[in-house]
Every structure is written in C-alpha cells, then in structure tokens.
C-alpha cells in the first residue's frame, strides 16, 4: 500500500484490512479495520510508530521501501497486543539496526509474546523524549486504556498525538482523515464499547491529561485520523461521563415463547411511559450492537429462559459480557420463565460483580405468563420508570 503523507516527512504506512469481520474472536467488525503504522523521517533519525498485524509484514516492508526507507532507527511500540506488533519480528529482521522503544510493561509483554531479545529495547518512562533532529517525540504512559502497557506518543513540533487503540475505530477506509462523521461515530462507539468501556475511569483521566496538549491531529492505530480532534474527544467525554439515558436494554433468549411474551409486554409498557427500549434477541443479535447500546442506557433487563436447572447459555454468556464490560448502567433486572424449577435468578445475579447497579424486581415465573405475572411486569415497569425519573434521565 502506498505511503500517505500526513504532514511534511510524516506518513501513514499501515494496512487496510477490508475483509476483517470479527475482532477478539468476539465482536463483529462490519466495516473491516486498519492497522495504522506511521513513519516519521526526522533530519537525523527515522522512526516507525507501531507495526501491523501478523501476516501483513510484507505489505509494511514494501510500503517502507516505497517511502525510501533503507534504515530505521526506532520502532515505537505503544502497546504489545499482536494486531500492532505481530509483524514486529519480521520488521526487525528487515531493519536490523532498529531499536524497539517502549515502556517497561510493554517490553515485558513483547518479550513474552514475541521472544524479542533484551538488547533490542530502549525503555522509556512517562514524559521522556527522543530527538529525531528537527522533530521531538514525547512519551505519555497511559495505562489501562485498555491494557496495562498502553502509552501515547506525541510529536511535539507537528502537534500530532498517536493514541494507539484509544480514540480508534474498526473502520477500513482508503481516506486518511474522517470523511463521514456519522458512520465514523458509530464505528468508534462500537469500538469504545468493547475495548474502552471497562476502563471508564482511566478513559476520563486520559481525556483530562490530553486536554492540556496542543493537538492538531489525533492519529489512532485503527480507523481514520482526526484533523478535528474535538469530534472524537467530545464523543468520548459523553460516553465516559456518569450520565445515563432514559433507555432500557433487554438482551433475551426464549426457547418456547414464554420469556419472549414477557419481554415484549415489558417493552410495550415501558414504551408507553416514554422509556426507550432496545431488544436484542440473543440468538441473532450482533454483540457489537448490544455493547454499543450499553454505553448510555440507565437500565438493563436480562430476559432468560431456563435450560435444565439454570439459565440458558445465551443468557449466561450475555450476563458475563455485561459484567465484563462494566457499563455505567444504574439498574439491572432479570425476567424469564422456567418449567420445573431452577436457579436462574441466583446464578445471573451472582455473576454481576463488577457493576455498581441496583438489582430491581426480578420477575421469574413458571410456564407462560398469566395475569398476575403481567401485573408483576407492570410493577417492574413502574419501578424502572420511577428510578429513571428520580435520576433525571433524558
Ligand atoms: Fe488494537 Fe489492543 O489492540
């Protein structure tokens, strides 16, 4: 792929993965993704920021050759995950004089994943700088957005912040900068929901920190670059804030229609009260859409059929995911139906350990819902509506 100039002597040299349809063996990536690698030619030294995924190394080497690079002095690893470093060993073979510049945590992980020798590394700390001659690179250690090793790289003279996964999106595009803001917003939100939401407190910290920098361009390691940084920074501020929306998310699974009848009834009652409801049938739901919906919602209601003596595995899986991504959800409930007795409510409640949410009114019934069961769902809807009102959800 041809190098794309960003500013004088600064190039995008990454790989556009148009075909990638799933990330982390979990989240669909309907728009593909990019592995962004950046080349900076200083007056004295040349540096590559990040590499590309496993199997794409030949493309990167060819792109560097097209950019006229015979020697590299440094390869900066902002993060050890293999979609950024999988090709690092081959790049080091192609450019044997290059040193890997990273922090101590990332070095440890890189040695563990890629078995790179000790002498290949230069270890940097927070605020350390490296001069390329006419350009200066500053390192900002930013742990837990989303791994413990993450750091940002700031190119001072050009005011470009390379943020690695932070502020990124899985969005394959031949364009360097964001063109379609709406489409990009949704891809970035999908990305935030899976990758960054579990670390909301650290996201807020890093947003505050970069607010003090002069930034003309944000260059993440996935998706297009931002020449209007406020676009993604304001979105992140909103998503990571404490405020929740007047929304109820209902991921559900129903084997024979009883749980579905309950879900649909609850949804109708809530809608009539002006609460926005989003249903996700877990048999067919896109996990990325479900996670995106969790970014803002005040309440989650898990709809779970019983299977044998416990929750249906799809409900178990969704509850595990809910707990893992730690949304700012304030209220959680469980509804569903069983045949001959089970411990679904206890099992699912016991799984919610990471979220500081109030558990309200589980409605778990035997068989198809009857008049008194619909009344219980009415009471649950009233409870949710009143809780949202007390919080001032909009
Ligand atoms: Fe894009 Fe955490 O890897």
């Amino acid at each position: 792929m041809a190098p794309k100039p960003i500013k004088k002597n600064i190039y995008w040299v990454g790989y556009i993965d148009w075909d990638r349809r799933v990330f982390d063996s979990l989240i669909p990536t309907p728009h593909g993704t990019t592995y962004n690698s950046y080349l900076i030619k200083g007056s004295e030294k040349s540096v590559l920021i990040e590499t590309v995924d496993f199997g794409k190394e030949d493309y990167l080497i060819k792109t560097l050759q097209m950019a006229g690079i015979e020697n590299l002095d440094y390869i900066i690893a902002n993060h050890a995950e293999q979609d950024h470093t999988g090709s690092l060993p081959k790049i080091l073979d192609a450019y044997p004089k290059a040193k890997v510049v990273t922090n101590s945590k990332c070095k440890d992980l890189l040695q563990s994943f890629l078995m790179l020798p000790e002498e290949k590394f230069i270890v940097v700390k927070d605020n350390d700088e490296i001069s390329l001659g006419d350009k200066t690179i500053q390192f900002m250690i930013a742990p837990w957005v989303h791994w413990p090793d993450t750091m940002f790289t700031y190119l001072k003279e050009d005011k470009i912040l390379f943020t690695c996964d932070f502020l990124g999106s899985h969005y394959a595009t031949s364009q360097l900068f964001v063109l379609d803001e709406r489409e990009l917003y949704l891809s970035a939100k999908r990305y935030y929901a899976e990758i960054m939401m579990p670390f909301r407190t650290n996201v807020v910290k890093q947003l505050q920190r970069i607010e003090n920098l002069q930034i003309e361009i944000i260059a993440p390691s996935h998706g297009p670059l931002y020449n209007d940084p406020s676009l993604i920074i304001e979105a992140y501020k909103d998503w990571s804030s404490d405020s929740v929306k007047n929304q109820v998310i209902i991921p559900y699974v129903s084997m024979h229609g009883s749980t579905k009848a309950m879900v649909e009834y609850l949804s109708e009652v809530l809608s009539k009260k002006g609460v926005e409801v989003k249903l996700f049938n877990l048999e067919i739901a896109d996990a990325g859409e479900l996670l995106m919906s969790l970014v803002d919602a005040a309440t989650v209601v898990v709809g779970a059929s019983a299977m044998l003596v416990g929750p249906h595995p799809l409900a178990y899986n969704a509850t595990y995911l809910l707990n893992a991504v730690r949304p700012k959800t304030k209220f959680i409930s469980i509804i569903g139906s069983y045949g001959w007795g089970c411990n679904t409510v206890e099992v699912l409640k016991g799984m919610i350990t990471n979220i500081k949410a109030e558990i309200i009114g589980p409605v778990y019934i035997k068989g198809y819902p009857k008049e008194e069961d619909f009344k219980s769902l009415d009471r649950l809807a009233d409870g949710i509506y009143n809780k949202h009102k007390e919080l001032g959800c909009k």
Side-chain angles (χ1 to χ4, degrees):
M1 289 175 183
K4 294 176 187 166
I6 299 171
K7 276 191 166 191
K8 193 176 172 214
N9 291 328
I10 305 165
Y11 303 87
W12 177 95
V13 290
Y15 181 81
I16 306 168
D17 196 342
W18 297 98
D19 296 341
R20 187 142 187 176
R21 284 295 173 270
V22 69
F23 222 89
D24 294 337
S25 302
L26 179 69
I27 301 297
T29 48
H31 300 289
T33 193
T34 66
Y35 315 111
N36 297 340
S37 181
Y38 299 99
L39 172 68
I40 304 168
K41 292 181 185 173
S43 58
E44 292 172 16
K45 308 269 188 190
S46 291
V47 60
L48 186 67
I49 300 180
E50 312 276 350
T51 64
V52 293
D53 203 1
F54 276 125
K56 315 297 183 204
E57 41 278 280
D58 290 344
Y59 291 96
L60 177 53
I61 290 168
K62 218 171 260 178
T63 309
L64 290 171
Q65 285 167 351
M66 288 166 81
I69 289 295
E70 287 173 8
N71 285 305
L72 272 177
D73 296 286
Y74 306 119
I75 301 172
I76 294 173
N78 279 329
H79 170 39
E81 198 162 5
Q82 291 93 327
D83 51 318
H84 308 276
T85 62
S87 61
L88 187 50
K90 285 206 176 168
I91 304 301
L92 285 169
D93 286 346
Y95 295 96
K97 289 186 188 154
K99 295 282 188 190
V100 178
V101 182
T102 192
N103 60 78
S104 60
K105 180 61 81 179
C106 188
K107 172 182 166 241
D108 174 58
L109 290 167
L110 284 175
Q111 288 189 302
S112 154
F113 294 145
L114 304 174
M115 282 74 76
L116 299 180
E118 186 72 28
E119 64 271 14
K120 276 289 169 197
F121 287 95
I122 295 174
V123 174
V124 292
K125 299 189 294 304
D126 197 31
N127 291 323
D128 278 359
E129 293 184 357
I130 284 183
S131 172
L132 307 179
D134 58 345
K135 295 183 189 296
T136 315
I137 278 173
Q138 185 179 30
F139 300 98
M140 301 170 64
I141 311 288
W144 295 114
V145 289
H146 64 130
W147 275 23
D149 61 331
T150 316
M151 70 180 190
F152 306 152
T153 296
Y154 181 52
L155 188 55
K156 290 175 94 169
E157 292 77 5
D158 295 280
K159 302 181 177 60
I160 303 177
L161 184 65
F162 300 90
T163 53
C164 194
D165 285 330
F166 193 60
L167 311 176
S169 61
H170 287 313
Y171 192 87
T173 170
S174 62
Q175 301 301 312
L176 201 49
F177 292 101
V178 172
L179 277 188
D180 184 333
E181 292 188 6
R182 179 67 194 158
E183 220 170 52
L184 196 275
Y185 177 91
L186 293 174
S187 291
K189 188 172 188 181
R190 175 182 281 256
Y191 187 89
Y192 168 89
E194 185 212 351
I195 309 288
M196 297 295 159
M197 188 159 66
F199 308 101
R200 201 162 59 89
T201 315
N202 296 311
V203 166
V204 171
K205 262 190 223 160
Q206 294 308 326
L207 289 174
Q208 287 166 350
R209 186 174 184 199
I210 66 174
E211 223 160 23
N212 301 322
L213 284 181
Q214 286 188 309
I215 304 173
E216 281 181 13
I217 294 172
I218 286 178
S221 294
H222 299 289
L225 290 69
Y226 304 89
N227 48 14
D228 173 8
S230 67
L231 175 70
I232 190 69
I233 287 176
E234 291 308 311
Y236 260 56
K237 278 186 188 168
D238 177 32
W239 300 333
S240 61
S241 73
D242 284 331
S243 75
V244 285
K245 296 203 166 87
N246 187 23
Q247 293 174 344
V248 175
I249 308 305
I250 312 183
Y252 74 95
V253 54
S254 184
M255 288 165 67
H256 299 291
S258 302
T259 299
K260 187 174 169 67
M262 297 174 74
V263 164
E264 287 178 347
Y265 182 81
L266 180 67
S267 167
E268 285 288 312
V269 178
L270 285 167
S271 297
K272 279 185 196 150
K273 291 174 180 293
V275 180
E276 186 186 358
V277 185
K278 293 184 185 177
L279 303 189
F280 291 89
N281 179 344
L282 294 168
E283 280 179 49
I284 53 169
D286 173 323
E289 296 286 333
L290 173 58
L291 293 187
M292 274 167 80
S293 74
L294 297 176
V295 169
D296 306 306
T299 296
V300 177
V301 177
V302 178
S305 277
M307 186 178 174
L308 300 174
V309 293
H312 189 287
L314 290 178
Y316 192 93
N317 185 43
T319 308
Y320 176 87
L321 199 56
L322 168 69
N323 187 57
V325 297
R326 297 184 223 179
K328 53 189 175 185
T329 305
K330 306 292 183 203
F331 311 105
I332 294 177
S333 189
I334 298 159
I335 63 174
S337 160
Y338 64 91
W340 63 87
C342 75
N343 58 6
T344 295
V345 170
E346 290 72 25
V347 170
L348 296 184
K349 266 167 86 171
M351 292 172 72
I352 300 163
T353 53
N354 291 336
I355 307 170
K356 288 185 196 133
E358 183 185 341
I359 307 279
I360 49 176
V363 180
Y364 214 72
I365 61 151
K366 184 173 168 64
Y368 198 81
K370 297 150 196 81
E371 197 180 336
E372 64 270 26
D373 302 320
F374 288 119
K375 281 187 184 149
S376 299
L377 290 170
D378 284 332
R379 284 192 289 277
L380 176 58
D382 283 344
I384 291 170
Y385 171 78
N386 289 330
K387 297 274 183 194
H388 286 201
K389 216 169 157 194
E390 280 165 31
L391 269 184
C393 294
K394 292 193 178 118

